Amino acid sequence: MPGAPSSARKNVVNTGLIHESRCARIAAVIKKPSLLRTMLRRAIAPAALMIVGVFFGGYAIFGPNGALAYGDIERQLAVKQQQLAMLDKTRAELKNRVDLLDPKHADPDLVDELARKDLGVAHQDEVIVPLEK
């Protein structure tokens, strides 16, 4: 501003200085990370580990194999043990019948019973009464 009075030049110069000092302060603030940002960066890893720990801890307590499911697992075990005892008894009965049907020394009464049952043959003086099991 060549034709402007000196006071106008002074204002422009002062305005320029004020503008430059503001830019310098803003640049300093931008370059220097804020305290909040620094704290957040430092807290990310512990927070993530805490979330993972809470997840696995909750799963260990409330999950299907957790501490609270232990009573239910024991009840299921008792039921399965009863079923196993019944199956063992049935297996023993079937093993006995198989042993009685061994071709080397078959039990004649059992062979007769099975033949009459499977073939439906009987003597004329016999009465067959089917029994439901």
Side-chain angles (χ1 to χ4, degrees):
M1 297 193 191
S6 65
S7 66
R9 270 192 215 151
K10 199 173 192 183
N11 286 340
V12 170
V13 171
N14 285 340
T15 309
L17 289 176
I18 292 171
H19 180 68
E20 286 177 13
S21 67
R22 282 184 189 166
C23 287
R25 278 190 240 142
I26 291 171
V29 169
I30 291 174
K31 289 179 185 175
K32 180 179 155 185
S34 69
L35 181 62
L36 178 64
R37 186 175 288 170
T38 304
M39 287 175 58
L40 286 175
R41 282 186 184 162
R42 288 182 183 172
I44 287 176
L49 289 174
M50 184 177 277
I51 290 170
V52 170
V54 166
F55 173 75
F56 284 115
Y59 191 77
I61 293 172
F62 300 108
N65 295 326
L68 297 180
Y70 186 69
D72 187 42
I73 291 171
E74 283 185 338
R75 281 190 297 275
Q76 290 177 358
L77 178 63
V79 168
K80 295 297 181 183
Q81 286 175 339
Q82 289 175 349
Q83 290 175 351
L84 178 63
M86 288 176 29
L87 289 173
D88 280 343
K89 181 181 174 189
T90 305
R91 182 180 163 273
E93 290 173 0
L94 290 174
K95 185 178 183 309
N96 184 33
R97 288 183 69 92
V98 168
D99 289 342
L100 291 175
L101 290 173
D102 186 16
K104 295 178 183 170
H105 56 282
D107 182 32
D109 291 332
L110 183 61
V111 172
D112 185 51
E113 175 189 339
L114 288 175
R116 289 173 184 264
K117 180 179 173 186
D118 290 343
L119 299 175
V121 292
H123 293 285
Q124 291 186 359
D125 60 345
E126 292 180 340
V127 177
I128 298 176
V129 179
L131 299 175
E132 297 290 327
K133 287 189 178 184

